Amino acid sequence: MAPPPLRCHEETNGSNNTKTNGVTVVANNLLLDAEEFRRQGNLVVDLIADYYAGIGDIPVHPTSVTPGFLLRQLPAEAPAARPGPEAFTDALRDIRDVILPGMTHWQSPRHMAHFPASSSTVGALGEALAAGINAVPFTWAASPAATELEMVVVDWLGAALRLPEPLLFRGGGGGTFVGTTCEAILCALVAARERKLAAVGGHRAGDLVVYCSDQTHFALAKAARIAGVRRLRALPTRRADAFALSPRAVRDAVRDDVAAGLVPLFLCATVGTTATGAVDPVGDLCAAVKKEAKEEVWVHVDAAYAGSALVCPELRRGVDTMEAVDSFSMNAHKWLLANTDCCAMWVRDPRHLTDALGTDHDVILKDAAAEGHHVVDYKDWSLTLTRRFRALKMWLVLRCYGVEGLRDHVRAHVSMAALFETMVRADPRFEVVAERRFALVCFRLRPPPLLPRSNGFSNGGGHHHHQEEQQQEEEINATTSGPYLSSATVAGVYMLRCAIGSTLTTERHVVEAWKVVQDRAAFLLRRQI
Amino acid sequence: MAPPPLRCHEETNGSNNTKTNGVTVVANNLLLDAEEFRRQGNLVVDLIADYYAGIGDIPVHPTSVTPGFLLRQLPAEAPAARPGPEAFTDALRDIRDVILPGMTHWQSPRHMAHFPASSSTVGALGEALAAGINAVPFTWAASPAATELEMVVVDWLGAALRLPEPLLFRGGGGGTFVGTTCEAILCALVAARERKLAAVGGHRAGDLVVYCSDQTHFALAKAARIAGVRRLRALPTRRADAFALSPRAVRDAVRDDVAAGLVPLFLCATVGTTATGAVDPVGDLCAAVKKEAKEEVWVHVDAAYAGSALVCPELRRGVDTMEAVDSFSMNAHKWLLANTDCCAMWVRDPRHLTDALGTDHDVILKDAAAEGHHVVDYKDWSLTLTRRFRALKMWLVLRCYGVEGLRDHVRAHVSMAALFETMVRADPRFEVVAERRFALVCFRLRPPPLLPRSNGFSNGGGHHHHQEEQQQEEEINATTSGPYLSSATVAGVYMLRCAIGSTLTTERHVVEAWKVVQDRAAFLLRRQI
């Protein structure tokens, strides 16, 4: 039976619409025109380049804005009619003149708050390339090269960090790129939970216990809440242990829980805690927990920040015995130049991930080429179906900078932090309040000696001093040419955190930052007299 | 007390390293140099523009690659030494010559599988800008303008989609951008679960029930598994209801569960199901579920695909009564030009989200400027702390194309799908097997009339015919100049899906795609004789 002939197009009145087979076809908008992309793309490249060129000279965060400042400047509704071609140029001007002045500039060389979100030219452009290609590699078939590049690059990165071979594809494990550590921990926790409940029965869901320290990032507590695991033991750390989780405390907690009829499930060890950069003794923790629990306890290592430092052999102290861990995650967007977001996660046995997170009834995603082969379908490795081609930027970073380039990058920041620490120690008004392992220096003004001792770990001035420190932080951050710092309270002591890691930070910025800290301290101390 | 003087820098031997205050400071690598960014950025813009210019002429997916093809071509380790400046150009060449030929090209005008991942020049460049700026707006203070732009843009978008006012900030609700629908549903489900358990007690966690249809995307089942909610009722749909979820079926299921002592928790209604684009009757479902359950049932609308179509008044049939829903999500990266990933989620009462997902003990994230004000800290609205500045690209899309431009974009695809449907209907060998609501056409070869009736909904040829259809799909997708289609099985019937939505698709591509389908059908039918 012959198909019916197709009637010719005819233009409909007054537009580019056509009428074909009786159907009016609306002309499309050419919103992905190659030459338009080239023109607009060059404007964007210039805007970003100019931003980098000037970023050292503007305040690192907007000291003058108050909540609502932008809400008040923008119209309540999106434009209704389609604007003309000048709209893009106008929008870029607004980005430069209205939006950027209201941003906190994470790429400023004086951004020393939180942890860095380190950029590189190839990291940023890798993200731009992925956005341009805009593939959605949820299965192998949905973009074979994207899936396989991800498999290659997680092994490259894992090897560069000298992770245990069993966590790499080539050692029987495997890895993937997700957005954030919050997601990685949740994936690992759900995988552990499903494995455990399969063994002990679903009715024991309320008896599962998760272990961590009081320094563990709240990502774990959040993941546990999302997963409905209600028992979380945040074991106390001590300054004497450099705020690391004690294997003995874990062993005791596990033993007590087993004795109480509970089910130890998951231990999260941290390499580089958020507050002070502490390193939990991973090997000893694995030994403690694997020995004490009757059933298997899943050990996850959260190396969100300091995972990047593992490229340097001299920064691996205490992290070389990770053979027994079940999963490991680190944020390559924090300190390894991969731009936000790029969290790498590896697991010893990917089957536990895919058992917990896989979906097997989705006929819609099957593909002939992949059938009968063992392929990785990354949708079954994480929380989401839709995912970006994050491997591309990580591949570019490794390819263009090499492992040695990444080492230099990390060492530069570590050495600048060492310089900052030296300057703090040389000033008797200040003290360093936690061991510096990486590029984070935790310090404070020494409390006035005449005030009564607080419950802090040194002769702290208690609440009064706490307020002073907070005020110092605010004053430092209010200086338009100063650094942007953040703070933490550990063991009752308020401390300033200087986290060096912005790609643009050089020695000069560190020296100047310290000068601002000293100036504000002098100002505060004068006022007290 | 005067601070100690800073000793001068001196260059250390043979490198740019310096020695300051006795500390050797490693020179940093200048990996974010403005001029280098400009040079590399222009290369990237050209690569992407050239890719768009040629994408219509290459196979939409790699027909010749087999699993492992790329693994075999790449070295086992990342480069050790830092490569020279030519590394970036070399890498771009590899992207063009090795990686892109192994990709499935989601931006191809002939990509008609799954659902579209629609790109636009300003969507892609908005992502590039966000990557370049690389801010991490987890709290208001962490980037005030980014937070406030997000608040503005979700209201703009919600108004453009004519969502009920109570879901918008200006109506007392609010929204955010997360990565994917999987995340949005999980957030809503956990918020609903925490609210419910606070009311009925944590010991009832095992009694919670989630409702959906057998057409609901697996994102819901996955979210329920992650959240530990084990009771999921996937209620059957019928062709007579156009595969929409029946309010009566939901009411009965809820009544039965209440009678059995269970706790109805959550209903997921879909606007535009994955298999056929069906629309659940949201208003009637809300009425059914709110009436029957003793306690509140959270109603979420998953409009991942068809949410974009709500910009067009003529495509809103059955979706105008959403006043009672608790949350709504749609993927602006699917059909609204915002590039992957950009899922918008709105909730009627953000407090339920922040109660469930918020973290209140993170002193480290407090900020003076925000204190005492009511600010939105988006980290408490979703699964993750780290997040990208997604609002920027959505703002650019709305700003540069206007709501009318988005309507034209959607209407172009809907009219092309109407044309495709008309051509299918005009060929007596084929049938359209589900009502077309948007730009998705579900069709199949009519089964041979002499074969016995299957349990499918028409005179289907059963398993034998199923295999034929699968073969047809494979043969269509194996043609190097043909479209890339996917398939679904609904009510036992295997159907081909032609999902029009790529930004580059024009009428010509649709006509040519249909020609390929006809050709392969003729070939298959001849072979049968």
Side-chain angles (χ1 to χ4, degrees):
Chain A
M1 194 178 337
L6 192 71
R7 267 167 268 159
C8 281
H9 306 190
E10 37 177 302
E11 288 214 356
T12 59
N13 285 343
S15 76
N16 295 321
N17 299 347
T18 53
K19 197 148 188 172
T20 304
N21 271 21
V23 176
T24 300
V25 177
V26 178
N28 82 358
N29 274 324
L30 301 177
L31 301 180
L32 201 64
D33 179 71
E35 294 317 310
E36 182 75 347
F37 184 84
R38 217 181 298 269
R39 187 183 72 79
Q40 294 177 338
N42 288 330
L43 295 175
V44 163
V45 166
D46 279 340
L47 188 151
I48 300 172
D50 292 345
Y51 178 61
Y52 294 157
I55 199 169
D57 302 322
I58 55 176
V60 53
H61 84 140
T63 50
S64 61
V65 306
T66 51
F69 76 102
L70 190 65
L71 299 175
R72 288 188 290 269
Q73 291 182 71
L74 295 176
E77 302 272 351
R82 185 164 174 202
E86 75 292 345
F88 189 71
T89 317
D90 290 350
L92 292 190
R93 197 179 48 238
D94 279 356
I95 289 175
R96 201 189 56 205
D97 298 344
V98 180
I99 294 175
L100 283 176
M103 300 284 289
T104 299
H105 303 289
W106 285 68
Q107 299 318 308
S108 166
R110 289 176 283 114
H111 193 291
M112 300 169 187
H114 312 302
F115 278 130
S118 73
S119 278
S120 58
T121 59
V122 308
L125 292 168
E127 190 72 52
L129 272 164
I133 295 168
N134 203 21
V136 190
F138 47 59
T139 57
W140 180 87
S143 241
T147 295
E148 298 200 6
L149 192 68
E150 185 161 342
M151 296 171 71
V152 168
V153 173
V154 288
D155 262 21
W156 280 15
L157 180 58
L161 304 181
R162 298 203 203 168
L163 297 187
E165 289 279 316
L167 290 177
L168 310 185
F169 277 109
R170 68 190 192 200
T176 186
F177 293 108
V178 296
T180 67
T181 296
C182 292
E183 293 165 71
I185 291 179
L186 181 55
C187 289
L189 181 59
V190 170
R193 188 197 64 193
E194 296 301 285
R195 176 179 73 162
K196 181 63 75 181
L197 292 181
V200 303
H203 62 290
R204 304 294 302 276
D207 298 332
L208 303 174
V209 189
V210 169
Y211 304 87
C212 64
S213 88
D214 57 9
Q215 298 302 304
T216 304
H217 191 269
F218 67 69
L220 177 70
K222 188 162 175 166
R225 201 189 312 155
I226 292 166
V229 177
R230 305 286 173 175
R231 296 174 193 272
L232 185 131
R233 310 259 180 266
L235 303 169
T237 55
R238 304 180 310 153
R239 193 186 193 188
D241 300 328
F243 304 113
L245 181 53
S246 147
R248 173 194 290 265
V250 170
R251 199 186 54 210
D252 291 350
V254 168
R255 192 179 46 215
D256 291 351
D257 284 333
V258 170
L262 298 174
V263 181
L265 172 67
F266 191 87
L267 167 68
C268 183
T270 305
V271 173
T273 59
T274 306
T276 67
V279 175
D280 293 338
V282 178
D284 292 346
L285 287 167
C286 288
V289 86
K290 305 264 174 194
K291 187 177 173 190
E292 204 59 47
K294 277 178 193 154
E295 301 99 11
E296 287 184 285
V297 172
W298 185 296
V299 178
H300 179 80
V301 175
D302 167 12
Y305 162 58
S308 300
L310 303 186
V311 288
C312 297
E314 74 275 19
L315 296 173
R316 300 179 58 84
R317 179 161 53 90
V319 193
D320 265 327
T321 49
M322 296 200 294
E323 275 59 34
V325 308
D326 295 284
S327 51
F328 182 101
S329 61
M330 57 80 66
N331 289 346
H333 60 251
K334 269 202 168 56
W335 198 15
L336 218 55
L337 299 163
N339 286 61
T340 309
D341 49 9
C342 191
C343 172
M345 163 177 73
W346 293 263
V347 290
R348 170 182 302 277
D349 189 345
R351 211 170 20 112
H352 295 310
L353 270 190
T354 56
D355 282 354
L357 300 168
T359 52
D360 49 355
H361 55 287
D362 38 311
V363 178
I364 207 166
L365 297 180
K366 280 197 180 156
D367 184 86
E371 255 172 41
H373 291 92
H374 176 70
V375 297
V376 166
D377 286 337
Y378 272 125
K379 73 177 174 59
D380 296 335
W381 287 55
S382 69
L383 307 177
T384 69
L385 173 64
T386 294
R387 55 203 313 279
R388 303 196 326 288
F389 184 11
R390 294 188 183 92
L392 190 61
K393 60 180 171 179
M394 194 74 237
W395 175 74
L396 279 172
V397 165
L398 286 162
R399 168 97 186 244
C400 296
Y401 302 142
V403 178
E404 205 48 58
L406 299 181
R407 284 191 190 122
D408 289 346
H409 163 76
V410 166
R411 282 171 180 151
H413 293 133
V414 170
S415 68
M416 288 179 223
L419 172 62
F420 190 90
E421 183 189 16
T422 301
M423 295 187 292
V424 175
R425 290 194 190 277
D427 187 331
R429 298 168 303 177
F430 287 88
E431 66 176 336
V432 171
V433 289
E435 185 200 5
R436 182 190 59 75
R437 283 286 300 258
F438 305 106
L440 168 66
V441 182
C442 296
F443 65 103
R444 65 167 181 169
L445 267 177
R446 283 187 197 278
L450 297 179
L451 289 174
R453 283 165 180 268
S454 78
N455 56 0
F457 49 70
S458 79
N459 57 340
H463 188 63
H464 177 67
H465 187 64
H466 185 111
Q467 281 178 329
E468 255 164 44
E469 289 285 340
Q470 217 163 353
Q471 195 180 353
Q472 194 194 10
E473 180 190 1
E474 285 166 26
E475 296 221 8
I476 293 166
N477 287 343
T479 59
T480 53
S481 63
Y484 187 47
L485 303 179
S486 57
S487 58
T489 301
V490 178
V493 171
Y494 193 90
M495 53 184 76
L496 287 172
R497 293 169 72 262
C498 177
I500 292 170
S502 169
T503 313
L504 291 168
T505 303
T506 64
E507 181 182 341
R508 173 172 71 83
H509 302 101
V510 173
V511 170
E512 288 172 1
W514 173 240
K515 190 82 177 55
V516 170
V517 172
Q518 284 183 312
D519 285 353
R520 301 323 299 167
F523 177 78
L524 278 174
L525 291 172
R526 262 200 312 276
R527 213 163 49 186
Q528 275 172 14
I529 299 168
Chain B
M1 194 178 337
L6 194 71
R7 265 166 269 160
C8 280
H9 306 191
E10 37 176 301
E11 288 218 355
T12 57
N13 286 344
S15 76
N16 295 320
N17 298 348
T18 53
K19 198 151 189 171
T20 303
N21 271 20
V23 177
T24 299
V25 178
V26 178
N28 83 358
N29 272 324
L30 300 178
L31 301 179
L32 201 63
D33 179 70
E35 294 317 310
E36 181 75 347
F37 184 84
R38 217 182 297 271
R39 187 184 72 78
Q40 293 176 338
N42 288 331
L43 296 174
V44 164
V45 167
D46 279 341
L47 188 151
I48 299 172
D50 292 346
Y51 177 61
Y52 293 156
I55 200 169
D57 302 322
I58 56 175
V60 54
H61 83 140
T63 52
S64 61
V65 306
T66 51
F69 76 102
L70 189 64
L71 299 176
R72 287 187 291 270
Q73 291 182 71
L74 294 176
E77 303 272 352
R82 184 163 176 203
E86 75 293 345
F88 189 71
T89 318
D90 289 351
L92 292 190
R93 198 180 46 239
D94 279 357
I95 290 175
R96 201 188 56 205
D97 298 344
V98 180
I99 294 175
L100 284 176
M103 300 283 289
T104 299
H105 303 288
W106 284 68
Q107 299 318 308
S108 167
R110 290 176 282 112
H111 193 291
M112 300 170 188
H114 312 302
F115 279 130
S118 72
S119 278
S120 58
T121 59
V122 307
L125 292 168
E127 189 72 52
L129 272 164
I133 296 168
N134 202 22
V136 189
F138 46 59
T139 56
W140 181 86
S143 241
T147 295
E148 298 201 7
L149 192 69
E150 185 160 343
M151 295 171 71
V152 168
V153 173
V154 287
D155 262 23
W156 280 15
L157 180 59
L161 304 180
R162 299 202 201 170
L163 297 188
E165 288 278 318
L167 291 177
L168 311 186
F169 278 109
R170 67 191 194 199
T176 186
F177 293 109
V178 297
T180 68
T181 296
C182 293
E183 291 165 73
I185 292 179
L186 181 55
C187 290
L189 181 59
V190 170
R193 187 196 66 194
E194 295 301 285
R195 177 179 73 161
K196 181 64 76 183
L197 292 181
V200 303
H203 63 288
R204 304 294 302 276
D207 298 333
L208 303 174
V209 190
V210 169
Y211 304 87
C212 64
S213 88
D214 57 8
Q215 300 301 302
T216 304
H217 191 270
F218 67 69
L220 177 69
K222 189 162 174 166
R225 200 187 314 154
I226 291 166
V229 177
R230 306 286 173 176
R231 297 174 192 273
L232 185 133
R233 310 258 179 270
L235 303 169
T237 56
R238 304 180 310 152
R239 192 188 193 189
D241 300 327
F243 305 113
L245 180 53
S246 150
R248 173 194 290 266
V250 170
R251 200 185 54 210
D252 291 350
V254 168
R255 193 179 46 215
D256 291 351
D257 285 333
V258 170
L262 298 175
V263 181
L265 172 68
F266 192 89
L267 168 67
C268 183
T270 305
V271 172
T273 60
T274 307
T276 69
V279 176
D280 293 340
V282 178
D284 292 347
L285 287 167
C286 288
V289 85
K290 304 264 174 191
K291 188 176 170 189
E292 205 60 49
K294 278 178 194 154
E295 301 101 8
E296 288 185 285
V297 172
W298 185 296
V299 179
H300 179 82
V301 176
D302 167 12
Y305 162 59
S308 301
L310 302 186
V311 287
C312 297
E314 74 274 18
L315 296 173
R316 300 178 58 83
R317 181 162 50 90
V319 193
D320 265 327
T321 49
M322 296 200 294
E323 275 61 33
V325 308
D326 296 284
S327 52
F328 181 100
S329 62
M330 58 80 66
N331 289 346
H333 60 250
K334 270 202 166 58
W335 197 14
L336 218 56
L337 300 162
N339 287 60
T340 307
D341 50 11
C342 191
C343 172
M345 163 176 72
W346 293 264
V347 291
R348 171 182 302 276
D349 190 345
R351 210 171 19 112
H352 295 310
L353 270 189
T354 55
D355 282 354
L357 300 168
T359 51
D360 49 355
H361 56 286
D362 36 309
V363 178
I364 207 166
L365 297 179
K366 279 198 182 155
D367 183 87
E371 255 173 41
H373 290 91
H374 175 72
V375 297
V376 166
D377 286 336
Y378 272 126
K379 73 178 174 57
D380 295 336
W381 287 54
S382 70
L383 307 177
T384 68
L385 172 64
T386 293
R387 55 204 310 280
R388 303 199 322 289
F389 184 11
R390 293 187 183 94
L392 190 63
K393 61 180 172 178
M394 194 73 237
W395 175 73
L396 280 172
V397 165
L398 285 162
R399 167 98 187 244
C400 296
Y401 301 144
V403 178
E404 205 49 57
L406 299 181
R407 283 191 190 120
D408 289 347
H409 163 76
V410 166
R411 282 172 180 148
H413 294 133
V414 170
S415 68
M416 289 180 223
L419 173 61
F420 191 90
E421 183 189 17
T422 301
M423 295 188 292
V424 174
R425 289 193 189 280
D427 187 332
R429 298 169 300 180
F430 287 88
E431 65 177 337
V432 172
V433 288
E435 185 201 6
R436 182 190 59 75
R437 283 285 301 261
F438 306 106
L440 168 66
V441 182
C442 296
F443 66 102
R444 65 166 182 169
L445 267 176
R446 283 184 197 280
L450 296 179
L451 290 173
R453 282 164 182 270
S454 78
N455 56 359
F457 52 69
S458 79
N459 57 340
H463 188 63
H464 177 67
H465 187 62
H466 186 110
Q467 282 179 328
E468 254 164 43
E469 289 285 341
Q470 219 164 351
Q471 196 179 352
Q472 193 194 10
E473 180 190 1
E474 286 166 25
E475 296 222 5
I476 292 166
N477 286 342
T479 58
T480 52
S481 63
Y484 185 48
L485 303 179
S486 58
S487 58
T489 301
V490 178
V493 171
Y494 193 90
M495 53 184 75
L496 287 172
R497 294 170 72 263
C498 176
I500 292 169
S502 168
T503 313
L504 291 168
T505 303
T506 64
E507 180 181 341
R508 175 173 69 84
H509 301 104
V510 174
V511 171
E512 288 173 1
W514 173 241
K515 190 81 177 56
V516 170
V517 173
Q518 284 185 313
D519 285 354
R520 301 322 301 167
F523 176 78
L524 278 174
L525 291 171
R526 262 201 311 278
R527 210 161 52 184
Q528 276 172 14
I529 297 168

